Amino acid sequence: EVQLLESGGGLVQPGGSLRLSCAASGFTFSSYAMSWVRQAPGKGLEWVSAISGSGGSTYYADSVKGRFTVSRDNSKNTLYLQMNSLRAEDTAVYYCAKDLIAGLWGSPRWGYWGQGTLVTVSS
Amino acid sequence: DIQMTQSPSSLSASVGDRVTITCRASQTISSYLNWYQQKPGKAPKLLIYTASSLQNGVPSRFSGSGSGTDFTLTITSLQPEDFATYYCQQNYNTPYTFGQGTKLEIK
């Protein structure tokens, strides 16, 4: 059974940093591209970042480019999102999501999602 | 960036009704269109991918159609568990953008 478990969320001051983790199990982690998608309170979904199965390729939304870094440790079956220079508008539930198809990079179809972790940026 | 526009933003319907939600892309995206269902406090769930392919385990009352810029999600014979918010999402290119959502409520 595929499981994705996010952690690392919490309250942080503007300008601060936070690292989110997503522990994966139930599939061959290194074979799948992964993404982070966020949802501000009461708002819609926003894609944040994606990383290929090998970790060699990444994409970012313009709203986080230069501040957030996505990475993965395939030996630990874990996806990360390092978030720096956090702003109030980064407040959201952050979900990690697994691509539906192994070996695919680009054109993601997020067939599995974690339960999300809440990041609150406030003084 | 490709803008995705859903209509309506909200919809009231009754159990047993047939409903259609539309999604329009600001430029052609071929069939690179997915539909998700989200219930309050839960993660989104993939319903339809590549515009018309039903994800495993999703009931056949859900269907998708369209290509290019105009897409539809149809739910025939609404069930109580279908009342949720629905999002379209293009995966043609980055940034992978979502529609604003359609909230389906019980009449």
Side-chain angles (χ1 to χ4, degrees):
Chain A
E1 179 192 5
V2 171
Q3 291 195 352
L4 300 170
L5 185 61
E6 301 97 337
S7 61
L11 176 63
V12 61
Q13 292 187 338
S17 298
L18 214 54
R19 188 177 83 155
L20 305 183
S21 299
C22 171
S25 61
F27 63 100
T28 305
F29 183 65
S30 61
S31 294
Y32 290 84
M34 300 289 293
S35 288
W36 289 97
V37 177
R38 68 184 180 183
Q39 186 169 36
K43 303 298 184 182
L45 300 166
E46 179 189 17
W47 169 77
V48 172
S49 182
I51 186 168
S52 62
S54 67
S57 297
T58 57
Y59 291 138
Y60 296 93
D62 285 346
S63 58
V64 306
K65 198 172 296 182
R67 301 187 299 122
F68 290 12
T69 302
V70 63
S71 63
R72 64 192 297 160
D73 185 337
N74 286 343
S75 68
K76 295 182 177 179
N77 290 349
T78 303
L79 173 71
Y80 302 101
L81 185 67
Q82 177 66 45
M83 304 186 294
N84 298 331
S85 303
L86 283 161
R87 307 166 179 166
E89 54 264 36
D90 295 318
T91 295
V93 173
Y94 285 73
Y95 296 100
C96 63
K98 169 189 170 293
D99 215 313
L100 198 57
I101 298 176
L104 183 68
W105 175 232
S107 301
R109 310 156 191 177
W110 297 305
Y112 294 91
W113 298 63
Q115 85 292 345
T117 187
L118 176 62
V119 172
T120 303
V121 184
S122 174
S123 55
Chain B
D1 297 2
I2 299 174
Q3 307 303 315
M4 307 300 294
T5 304
Q6 289 180 231
S7 61
S9 294
S10 63
L11 175 60
S12 294
S14 301
V15 173
D17 283 355
R18 172 190 174 103
V19 300
T20 297
I21 299 169
T22 65
C23 178
R24 175 165 289 176
S26 60
Q27 66 183 74
T28 183
I29 57 171
S30 185
S31 295
Y32 290 89
L33 191 283
N34 304 318
W35 288 97
Y36 297 86
Q37 175 195 66
Q38 188 180 32
K39 296 181 179 179
K42 300 295 186 182
K45 173 186 175 182
L46 178 65
L47 298 176
I48 302 284
Y49 60 92
T50 320
S52 60
S53 296
L54 193 67
Q55 167 66 341
N56 288 344
V58 175
S60 59
R61 63 181 179 272
F62 291 90
S63 64
S65 64
S67 67
T69 61
D70 294 314
F71 302 86
T72 61
L73 172 70
T74 299
I75 313 171
T76 59
S77 190
L78 272 173
Q79 298 300 300
E81 60 268 30
D82 300 337
F83 292 93
T85 300
Y86 294 85
Y87 294 92
C88 62
Q89 174 246 333
Q90 64 83 15
N91 60 344
Y92 182 76
N93 61 16
T94 60
Y96 303 122
T97 44
F98 291 86
Q100 81 278 16
T102 295
K103 188 173 184 179
L104 178 54
E105 299 174 305
I106 301 175
K107 185 182 288 184

